[in-house]
Amino acid sequence: VVQALKNMGVDVFYEPDIHNAVNQVRLAAYKNIPVLFFCGLMDEAEGEGFDRKDLKLPKEQIKILKQICEITDNVVVFNTSGSPVDLSFIGKVKGLVQLYLCGEAAGEACANIIMGKANPSGHLAETFPLKIEDTPCYENFAPDSNSVPYKEGVFTGYRYYETYKVPVAYEFGKGLSYTKFEYSDLKVKLPKVSFKITNTGNYDGAEVPQVYIQNPQITDVRPVKQIRPLKELAGFDKVFLKAGETKAVEITLDDKAFCVWDTSKHDFVKIGGEYSILVGSSVKDIRLQEEVKITGPEITDIISKDELKDFFATAAYEDIHKSGEFTSEDNFIDLSKASLL
């Protein structure tokens, strides 16, 4: 990144030593120069063959970031990680760029975003929780080395957080830009969902519109446990728009959009009821909505109330990978433990 910015003619002060870096930040704050802070997970915290124990960034990184934020709030954080991390520090900085796991041209890409030569248009394909205790598998994950219980069933990711109204740091589908997009003119003629998007800002950019189906919910079962997620992603697109441009978007829902799996028929069955077609920029940022009525059996016609009560206690539990037994899913680290060599 440093070299890429210098190639653009930008004066960059880079200091890898922590003590000297803090002194450079004091000078930058005095001269009102923005500070770019690069952080992320190290190899020992994230990789193949083992699981993370928490969502925290390395404590050394958080320590120096706290020192920097005590000096100035003119800070932009660039995080490199392949999965969500604890971003509770974000309220003290001006911006955040999630880089995920970058390729060889990451430096040039970052420099282009920093200098406004490229308009970021990525949207999250996962939820960033506030804390690890909020994750749906927290109480069930790897209680021992021999089995993993999948008690969360279909309620993983945004399906869990939205259904049970769990607050999150950043929701599924979220993505910011240097421009703004306006949604309008929703038309639903199943299986087609059409609408318009207008770039109302001053910069060319791309938007990722998302179509969700909001399912009818079962609330007469005690204890209350939903059998279907509140919202399910049904389709999305990526639309490039010049400043001021409007484009029509059409997304086709597949034939299983309103279905659940019937274990007695061994097939998908369309469930009747009142649904909402939601169109937005993320699972929470819904811009357009239209209700539709679907004809079909109710979900209680397929799964009895007694089965619903016991669903999360039994149906979604599975023992996998017993010690000493291996499949094609196992990695070399697991296999090496049983090696005779």
Side-chain angles (χ1 to χ4, degrees), residues 148-178:
V148 177
Y150 288 97
K151 288 189 176 182
E152 61 269 27
V154 298
F155 292 93
T156 60
Y158 75 90
R159 296 175 184 85
Y160 168 75
Y161 296 108
E162 287 295 303
T163 303
Y164 292 103
K165 298 178 174 55
V166 179
V168 301
Y170 294 102
E171 73 272 17
F172 178 87
K174 185 177 180 61
L176 300 181
S177 170
Y178 291 151

Side-chain angles (χ1 to χ4, degrees), residues 43-231:
D43 290 344
E44 59 268 22
E46 183 178 50
E48 299 295 334
F50 62 94
D51 295 310
R52 292 169 59 192
K53 303 299 183 184
D54 54 50
L55 297 177
K56 298 183 183 300
L57 288 168
K59 60 182 180 180
E60 296 82 5
Q61 296 180 14
I62 295 300
K63 180 180 179 180
I64 187 173
L65 179 59
K66 287 181 178 179
Q67 288 181 273
I68 291 172
C69 289
E70 289 174 357
I71 299 170
T72 177
D73 64 353
N74 196 10
V75 181
V76 177
V77 173
F78 292 78
N79 181 62
T80 302
S81 66
S83 52
V85 296
D86 180 356
L87 298 173
S88 54
F89 60 79
I90 196 62
K92 300 178 181 178
V93 302
K94 288 289 181 65
L96 168 68
V97 179
Q98 173 65 20
L99 300 175
Y100 281 104
L101 301 179
C102 307
E104 293 181 352
E108 289 82 357
C110 285
N112 286 334
I113 291 173
I114 293 166
M115 299 306 295
K117 293 181 178 293
N119 191 348
S121 59
H123 286 243
L124 290 178
E126 60 190 339
T127 303
F128 273 58
L130 287 170
K131 56 186 184 298
I132 196 169
E133 290 82 2
D134 293 335
T135 57
C137 64
Y138 176 71
E139 294 182 355
N140 306 318
F141 187 71
D144 55 58
S145 59
N146 297 326
S147 64
V148 177
Y150 288 97
K151 288 189 176 182
E152 61 269 27
V154 298
F155 292 93
T156 60
Y158 75 90
R159 296 175 184 85
Y160 168 75
Y161 296 108
E162 287 295 303
T163 303
Y164 292 103
K165 298 178 174 55
V166 179
V168 301
Y170 294 102
E171 73 272 17
F172 178 87
K174 185 177 180 61
L176 300 181
S177 170
Y178 291 151
T179 191
K180 295 181 179 179
F181 299 97
E182 182 179 285
Y183 290 62
S184 63
D185 200 20
L186 173 64
K187 291 183 175 63
V188 179
K189 294 183 179 179
L190 297 176
K192 307 283 187 185
V193 177
S194 62
F195 49 93
K196 293 179 180 178
I197 297 182
T198 302
N199 183 343
T200 59
N202 299 320
Y203 300 93
D204 300 345
E207 172 69 330
V208 181
Q210 302 147 47
V211 176
Y212 296 89
I213 292 175
Q214 183 164 299
N215 296 313
Q217 295 291 283
I218 302 299
T219 58
D220 60 346
V221 178
R222 297 293 183 269
V224 176
K225 288 288 187 181
Q226 302 297 352
I227 195 67
R228 301 180 78 183
L230 176 65
K231 299 175 185 176

Side-chain angles (χ1 to χ4, degrees), residues 184-190 192-195 211-215 253 258 273-280 286-294:
S184 63
D185 200 20
L186 173 64
K187 291 183 175 63
V188 179
K189 294 183 179 179
L190 297 176
K192 307 283 187 185
V193 177
S194 62
F195 49 93
V211 176
Y212 296 89
I213 292 175
Q214 183 164 299
N215 296 313
L253 308 185
F258 303 95
E274 299 285 343
Y275 292 80
S276 293
I277 304 298
L278 311 175
V279 179
I286 301 302
R287 310 291 184 85
L288 305 171
Q289 178 173 341
E290 184 171 321
E291 277 61 51
V292 296
K293 187 172 184 178
I294 299 299

